[in-house]
Amino acid sequence: MADVALQHSELALLGGNKAIDIDDREIFRWPVVTKAHEDAVLAVLRDGNMSGTDVTVKFQKKYAAEIGMKHGWACNNGTASIHCGFYGIGIRTGDEVICPSLTYWASVVPLFSLGATPVFADVDPETLCIDPASIEAMITPRTKAIVIVHYCGIPADMDAIMALSKKYNLKVFEDCSHAHGALYKGRQVGTFGDASGFSLMSHKSIGVGEGGIMFTNSDEVLKLAMWFGNYDCHEQILKNTDLEKYIGPPAGGYKYRMHQLSSAFGLVQLDLYKEQFKEIDAAMKYFCKGVDSIDGIKSIQPNWSENTTKGGWFVPLVHYAPEKFGGLSVTCFVEALHAEGCTVCGAGCNIPLHNHPLFIEADVYGQGRPTRIANLPASAKIEDYVRELPVTSKVNQRTIAIPRFTRYYPDVIDKHIEAFHKVAKNYRSLLNRDKKTENKGGFAVSKRKSCA
Ligand SMILES: *Cc1c(COP(=O)(O)O)cnc(C)c1O
């Protein structure tokens, strides 16, 4: 009997049996494609209407109404919705814009082509969303706007952020690409700032293929965003305004219209997401409860109030405390999980941007200076903009991207919980094999071998 027990506890990485010995792919499938999606997409194909705008206009109106915003403008991807949104809220050459370093590049890099300078702020160690105190420390007379990312579906501290925006007269742009359906104190994220952008890429919580959508309550912001990147819908928006004489080509030179197969898919998705999110929420809370009993693992969940939620739980994370596991690196812990059959988790989250050479030395537009500061006065030095961000810099050693279960199948989820417990219980057997590879992040399911 003792031998059997021993064998059972032996980690799969060391030759033992896997904790997850079933085909679990169904529980991760996303988006869930129904007959209604197929019919909607086929109707557009059969109409030969892929490049039209009528379905897209329906989609953007429906989504705007859904979250109570005056204007929605659907784009061909989330990056485009952010780019136009930045222009729309008035970001221009020489402006400084405070943003998180811990995010996907698309929240920040579009600033370059607008001639603006990203200034990176640190994140809150619990929520991993931009820290209002760090934002305040970065404000200068040149600061024009703050970019918020509701990171991994956790709403940022919007009360504090909107108070800063008022105090210093700063615009706020919310990148909600992780946070469809997430509520901050009962209110949908993406409705607080001057404008917001949502990626609608397939694996996001509302995924349509490729797509994005910008929202604003301001006619002026919409007008500028449309002028910048939309050349066939902007006529009605620009008519009888100061920009009427410019009707015609998009001012930014970008064509950002959404593909109608995506809009058709999105219209169906808007009917389904609330029900689907209920199931995801149940599945994820079940999983988090199961792993939160491990000393050293703590799920990241909103803690602002009862009415603050994660919506579709895009890229859920747990905090990982290596000191509770004899210093075992997160990479090695995750590798052991993979061996147990828990293959959809990864070590860490996004690669921080503040140390990336693109923001330190790259001269993208041939201006003879790093693009990051190219439009600031000649006296500005890049060194003044390259700062350490202590929380952000450690995040990839201290987080695990956990599986996102889109179906509530407790028996399958139990096996994943068991995999976490098994690795946690047997961490000592990994210590002498741990190469302590520094995890640089990137969300990828880690293929790097840190254990011999
Ligand atoms: C996915 C993502 C984007 C960009 O969206 P695309 O649709 O891929 O262009 C922007 N910001 C964040 C935080 C994202 O995760």
Side-chain angles (χ1 to χ4, degrees):
M1 279 307 282
D3 275 1
V4 173
L6 193 69
Q7 206 170 11
H8 180 72
S9 75
E10 180 155 302
L11 296 173
L13 190 64
L14 307 177
N17 296 326
K18 289 178 167 195
I20 302 162
D21 50 5
I22 49 166
D23 179 356
D24 61 359
R25 277 173 295 182
E26 187 58 29
I27 201 168
F28 300 115
R29 191 187 292 276
W30 194 257
V32 177
V33 179
T34 65
K35 173 87 168 39
H37 290 100
E38 291 172 5
D39 291 347
V41 169
L42 273 175
V44 175
L45 272 180
R46 287 182 175 139
D47 276 358
N49 193 16
M50 285 86 82
S51 280
T53 54
D54 57 327
V55 186
T56 298
V57 168
K58 262 192 217 156
F59 170 70
Q60 69 200 21
K61 280 199 172 138
K62 184 169 172 170
Y63 203 160
E66 176 75 23
I67 68 166
M69 292 297 282
K70 187 169 178 194
H71 304 296
W73 178 34
C75 299
N76 55 2
N77 55 50
T79 310
S81 71
I82 292 169
H83 197 191
C84 290
F86 284 174
Y87 187 82
I89 66 170
I91 295 172
R92 300 288 183 270
T93 300
D95 291 338
E96 291 182 3
V97 177
I98 299 173
C99 11
S101 160
L102 187 68
T103 184
Y104 186 60
W105 55 262
S107 321
V108 178
V109 185
L111 293 171
F112 273 14
S113 63
L114 296 171
T117 293
V119 175
F120 294 111
D122 214 344
V123 292
D124 176 274
E126 284 302 313
T127 65
L128 305 186
C129 290
I130 196 164
D131 178 355
S134 181
I135 293 175
E136 193 161 21
M138 304 294 174
I139 294 171
T140 75
R142 251 181 255 290
T143 309
K144 180 64 166 274
I146 313 169
V147 176
I148 305 307
V149 179
H150 301 289
Y151 195 62
C152 294
I154 303 281
D157 187 356
M158 292 315 292
D159 285 346
I161 290 161
M162 295 316 290
L164 284 178
S165 125
K166 244 199 199 125
K167 183 171 169 192
Y168 295 96
N169 190 26
L170 303 175
K171 303 284 182 190
V172 172
F173 185 88
E174 298 175 75
D175 180 351
C176 305
S177 300
H178 296 173
H180 311 75
L183 303 178
Y184 174 79
K185 299 184 181 175
R187 180 168 157 191
Q188 165 78 50
V189 301
T191 65
F192 291 85
D194 296 277
S196 57
F198 290 65
S199 170
L200 302 169
M201 190 190 173
S202 302
H203 60 282
K204 304 285 163 97
S205 288
I206 293 183
V208 305
E210 289 292 327
I213 189 161
M214 189 204 98
F215 294 107
T216 182
N217 282 326
S218 157
D219 297 349
E220 182 67 15
V221 171
L222 180 77
K223 181 186 75 179
L224 290 171
M226 294 283 259
W227 185 44
F228 189 69
N230 190 332
Y231 80 98
D232 53 359
C233 282
H234 76 195
E235 184 168 339
Q236 74 227 47
I237 304 283
L238 266 49
K239 228 178 164 76
N240 302 320
T241 74
D242 55 326
L243 297 179
E244 183 166 8
K245 66 181 164 201
Y246 299 118
I247 288 173
Y254 302 100
K255 182 190 173 195
Y256 279 161
R257 155 171 102 212
M258 190 165 177
H259 192 301
Q260 297 231 93
L261 295 183
S262 294
S263 335
F265 192 96
L267 276 166
V268 178
Q269 206 49 31
L270 287 177
D271 290 333
L272 301 179
Y273 82 95
K274 279 195 178 144
E275 275 310 304
Q276 292 178 335
F277 283 12
K278 269 189 212 156
E279 185 166 357
I280 293 171
D281 204 55
M284 291 310 305
K285 283 181 174 154
Y286 182 83
F287 176 81
C288 288
K289 192 159 181 246
V291 296
D292 277 343
S293 60
I294 300 170
D295 189 23
I297 300 276
K298 183 166 166 268
S299 61
I300 306 187
Q301 297 199 44
N303 56 1
W304 306 119
S305 81
E306 280 287 295
N307 290 324
T308 301
T309 70
K310 289 195 63 170
W313 286 77
F314 179 71
V315 204
L317 300 176
V318 293
H319 289 295
Y320 172 79
E323 57 277 14
K324 299 281 186 187
F325 302 99
L328 186 73
S329 71
V330 70
T331 322
C332 195
F333 192 97
V334 166
E335 196 176 346
L337 285 171
H338 287 177
E340 296 300 336
C342 185
T343 52
V344 290
C345 60
C349 43
N350 281 111
I351 302 167
L353 301 176
H354 68 286
N355 288 325
H356 193 285
L358 181 61
F359 298 101
I360 296 176
E361 56 174 59
D363 176 7
V364 182
Y365 296 108
Q367 292 170 281
R369 301 169 76 188
T371 297
R372 173 103 177 273
I373 55 150
N375 299 299
L376 295 179
S379 59
K381 289 194 215 58
I382 189 71
E383 298 80 61
D384 299 335
Y385 287 83
V386 180
R387 303 186 180 104
E388 237 346 275
L389 301 176
V391 181
T392 299
S393 296
K394 286 199 201 87
V395 160
N396 279 296
Q397 316 311 321
R398 304 188 63 86
T399 46
I400 297 174
I402 55 175
R404 175 172 180 258
F405 301 101
T406 57
R407 310 306 302 269
Y408 182 52
Y409 301 153
D411 51 334
V412 179
I413 300 172
D414 279 338
K415 289 194 180 273
H416 287 263
I417 294 172
E418 188 192 325
F420 271 72
H421 279 270
K422 194 175 158 195
V423 175
K425 208 190 297 172
N426 292 286
Y427 75 85
R428 284 185 194 83
S429 59
L430 293 168
L431 288 174
N432 64 347
R433 310 163 61 101
D434 184 6
K435 293 216 172 108
K436 303 245 162 112
T437 319
E438 193 193 342
N439 178 41
K440 297 210 159 56
F443 272 127
V445 170
S446 173
K447 291 187 195 79
R448 237 172 300 147
K449 298 274 179 254
S450 70
C451 295

